[in-house]
């Protein structure tokens, strides 16, 4: 298929683009490289540098595109609280432009990268797709607003779409992994401690209502996540908007994640309790039964040790690269 991947230089977008290229698809990536990495983009893909809002109509206007996978977005919870205007602009307004460009060029197949943040603080876990959506921050609210937009475009204009609500994406695929200028996520930060790039990991609270007092999350391997996008793309039907949760179905506490990182890396990884982080819920665990049942999604890298090991192999490669860059 001839596909447009927006945000294809980001962490999830680049893994997905790599898998699509491997499977023989003709991939065009648009990315403004505000947070993406040039190194992560597969060599076989065509790359267009710029903003989706400015360029989507022109690119899709070339003709021949059979689908769009839309990753490009702002995605930091804390930042969205401080700068909501940027989130409404870059997430909602940009997606409206993209959907209009798709409509004008007759492209009716969309996969949208969404988030568990659309649910907010759930009353119960595991979270199924029919539970109330009450986002607790602007990031989740913008992603939810886009879902309403997509549903209405499906009904009115025949768009065929799937929104994938990711839980905690982690792991790496070959030489693509989490490599952000400013890192806020647990696993890459813990691994930076193991690599010696940080002194210790701060655990944000140990008095949560969980078994060991630290928050529990559902970690999903980025390569399993990529499979879900391909399945969605191949099964979208004009006029229908589907929403699926994506997780591994198991919860791990912050302490359990740190222990697993100790096991995988053989490093002590000093940890210290720090105050809670604003906006963090105690427990988030996905039910992914719907996508398994309906699309036959079959994640194979669900155990935490595989996820952490793949992330660690990638982090070490990054560390080696940084080391040789310093020496040369
Ligand atoms: N966390 C932590 N220390 C850190 C980063 C994260 O204790 O330096 C905790 C955070 O409070 C949350 C969990 O790890 O409970 C996962 O956080 P992350 O930012 O990776 O993902 P989120 O669940 O916020 O999307």
């Amino acid at each position: 298929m001839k596909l447009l991947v927006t945000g294809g230089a980001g962490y999830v977008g680049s893994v997905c683009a790599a898998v699509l290229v491997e499977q023989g698809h003709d991939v065009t990536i648009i990315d403004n490289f505000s947070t993406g990495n040039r190194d992560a983009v597969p060599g076989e893909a065509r790359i267009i540098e710029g903003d989706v809002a400015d360029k989507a109509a022109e690119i899709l206007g070339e003709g021949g595109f059979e689908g769009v996978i839309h990753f490009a977005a702002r995605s930091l919870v804390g930042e969205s609280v401080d700068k909501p205007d940027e989130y409404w602009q870059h997430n909602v307004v940009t997606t409206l432009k993209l959907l209009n460009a798709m409509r004008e060029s007759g492209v009716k197949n969309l996969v949208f990268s969404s988030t568990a943040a659309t649910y907010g603080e759930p009353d119960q876990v595991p979270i199924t797709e029919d539970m109330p959506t009450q986002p607790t921050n602007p990031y989740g609210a913008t992603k939810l607003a886009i879902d309403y937009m997509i549903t209405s475009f499906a009904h009115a204009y025949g768009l065929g779409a799937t929104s994938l609500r990711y839980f905690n994406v982690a792991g790496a695929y070959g030489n693509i992994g989490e490599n952000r200028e400013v890192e806020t996520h647990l696993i890459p930060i813990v691994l930076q401690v193991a690599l010696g790039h940080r002194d210790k990991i701060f655990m944000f609270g140990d008095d949560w209502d969980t078994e060991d007092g630290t928050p529990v999350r559902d970690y999903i391997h980025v390569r399993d996540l990529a499979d879900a996008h391909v399945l969605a793309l191949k099964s979208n039907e004009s006029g229908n908007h589907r929403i699926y949760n994506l997780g591994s179905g198991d919860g791990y506490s912050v302490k359990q994640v740190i222990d697993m990182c100790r096991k995988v890396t053989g490093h002590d990884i000093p940890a210290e309790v720090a105050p809670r982080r604003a906006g963090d819920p105690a427990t988030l665990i996905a039910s992914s039964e719907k996508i398994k049942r309906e699309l036959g999604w079959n994640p194979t890298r669900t155990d935490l040790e595989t996820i952490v090991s793949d992330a660690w192999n990638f982090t070490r490669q990054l560390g080696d690269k940084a080391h040789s860059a310093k020496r040369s």
Side-chain angles (χ1 to χ4, degrees):
M1 290 170 93
K2 181 174 173 182
L3 302 168
L4 178 63
V5 178
T6 76
Y11 168 47
V12 181
S14 56
V15 171
C16 208
V19 170
L20 289 167
V21 163
E22 275 166 29
Q23 295 181 353
H25 297 284
D26 172 4
V27 174
T28 298
I29 287 171
I30 171 153
D31 203 296
N32 63 10
F33 294 99
S34 59
T35 54
N37 289 306
R38 279 171 209 279
D39 293 352
V41 175
E44 298 86 341
R46 171 181 164 212
I47 301 164
I48 296 172
E49 182 165 353
D51 287 323
V52 174
D54 302 334
K55 303 224 162 153
E58 186 190 327
I59 300 168
L60 293 174
E62 281 171 12
F65 282 94
E66 293 155 280
V68 175
I69 309 189
H70 182 35
F71 295 101
R74 296 289 173 95
S75 62
L76 296 177
V77 168
E79 186 183 63
S80 79
V81 175
D82 296 336
K83 302 175 184 171
D85 59 320
E86 294 187 10
Y87 278 68
W88 290 99
Q89 183 69 38
H90 289 287
N91 294 357
V92 177
V93 175
T94 294
T95 304
L96 179 58
K97 288 190 176 160
L98 176 66
L99 295 189
N100 277 328
M102 290 178 69
R103 203 179 141 206
E104 277 158 26
S105 54
V107 182
K108 293 195 167 177
N109 189 345
L110 173 74
V111 179
F112 175 57
S113 164
S114 187
T115 166
T118 49
Y119 294 107
E121 302 242 9
D123 292 332
Q124 62 190 85
V125 290
I127 301 172
T128 52
E129 292 81 354
D130 53 5
M131 284 188 186
T133 39
Q134 294 165 333
T136 51
N137 52 65
Y139 167 58
T142 60
K143 290 284 183 172
L144 183 60
I146 294 167
D147 274 345
Y148 284 117
M149 198 194 294
I150 293 173
T151 303
S152 63
F153 270 61
H155 293 164
Y157 310 126
L159 178 67
T162 304
S163 296
L164 298 175
R165 291 183 175 164
Y166 315 156
F167 282 63
N168 287 60
V169 189
Y173 182 52
N175 62 354
I176 316 172
E178 291 185 84
N179 179 15
R180 305 180 180 91
E181 214 152 277
V182 180
E183 190 51 76
T184 61
H185 294 92
L186 180 65
I187 292 178
I189 291 183
V190 177
L191 295 178
Q192 285 171 7
V193 179
L195 203 63
H197 289 185
R198 291 176 191 249
D199 293 339
K200 56 184 140 183
I201 174 78
F202 291 101
M203 299 187 293
F204 299 144
D206 67 348
D207 55 353
W208 296 86
D209 185 15
T210 60
E211 210 160 291
D212 66 16
T214 61
V216 171
R217 294 288 183 273
D218 182 340
Y219 295 87
I220 172 173
H221 196 294
V222 66
R223 180 63 184 79
D224 284 337
L225 193 67
D227 283 339
H229 292 74
V230 178
L231 288 170
L233 194 67
K234 288 186 174 164
S235 58
N236 273 333
E237 284 173 2
S238 171
N240 193 14
H241 177 210
R242 305 170 300 186
I243 295 177
Y244 296 116
N245 292 343
L246 284 170
S248 298
D250 283 321
Y252 294 95
S253 71
V254 169
K255 281 187 180 164
Q256 286 175 317
V257 169
I258 297 171
D259 279 342
M260 181 56 79
C261 292
R262 289 184 177 125
K263 180 178 170 196
V264 166
T265 64
H267 189 282
D268 289 348
I269 310 184
E272 190 176 306
V273 179
R276 288 183 178 195
R277 185 170 70 177
D280 273 349
T283 303
L284 284 178
I285 300 173
S287 163
S288 308
E289 291 312 308
K290 190 176 167 204
I291 189 165
K292 287 182 184 165
R293 194 174 57 241
E294 294 186 5
L295 303 193
W297 182 58
N298 179 26
T300 58
R301 303 161 184 86
T302 52
D303 65 296
L304 189 62
E305 186 160 358
T306 303
I307 293 174
V308 169
S309 299
D310 287 357
W312 177 231
N313 287 335
F314 170 75
T315 305
R316 271 194 304 195
Q317 280 177 36
L318 264 191
D320 289 345
K321 262 194 222 157
H323 186 63
S324 36
K326 253 191 215 160
R327 279 159 55 109
S328 61

